[in-house]
Amino acid sequence: MNKYEVMFIAKPFEETEVDPIVEKVTNLITKNNGTVEKVDRWGKRHLAYPVKKQNDGYYVLINFEIDPTAIYEIDRVMKIQDEILKHLIVKNDK
């Protein structure tokens, strides 16, 4: 099991509307036998350039531990989520 972090930008909803999106991602991690260590909500921010016709986005950072083979499934599912504008999964060596 390796440590990873995923940063994603959700459509510019209010915080209560972002909760189900964060829950979907954390459930996806736990369904693939991973453990979520920390969820850090950065809040609504202005984007440097428009992404999918959106000028603002809600940033969320999730630290988790999971088997490396499950990363492909998490990446695949996050790509097809309409609420997620962009995401990046990075292996954390710490």
Side-chain angles (χ1 to χ4, degrees), residues 12 47 49-56 85:
L47 302 175
Y49 55 89
V51 177
K52 296 183 182 176
K53 299 181 181 178
Q54 301 290 326
N55 291 322
D56 295 321
L85 300 175

Side-chain angles (χ1 to χ4, degrees), residues 46-83:
H46 187 73
L47 302 175
Y49 55 89
V51 177
K52 296 183 182 176
K53 299 181 181 178
Q54 301 290 326
N55 291 322
D56 295 321
Y58 196 95
Y59 283 72
V60 179
L61 176 68
I62 300 175
N63 294 323
F64 61 99
E65 192 172 342
I66 200 166
D67 187 48
T69 57
I71 291 297
Y72 299 109
E73 177 65 13
I74 293 171
D75 186 50
R76 183 189 71 78
V77 172
M78 288 185 78
K79 281 181 184 175
I80 60 175
Q81 295 292 323
D82 289 335
E83 303 91 12

Side-chain angles (χ1 to χ4, degrees), residues 4-44:
Y4 293 91
E5 60 183 22
V6 61
M7 165 71 75
F8 68 88
I9 305 171
K11 287 187 178 179
F13 299 121
E14 296 302 318
E15 186 168 352
T16 56
E17 296 173 309
V18 175
D19 290 340
I21 301 168
V22 174
E23 191 173 325
K24 279 183 190 176
V25 175
T26 55
N27 287 341
L28 178 64
I29 292 168
T30 55
K31 284 180 185 175
N32 286 292
N33 298 323
T35 57
V36 176
E37 296 175 355
K38 183 179 172 187
V39 177
D40 193 12
R41 297 163 190 258
W42 289 10
K44 195 175 191 180

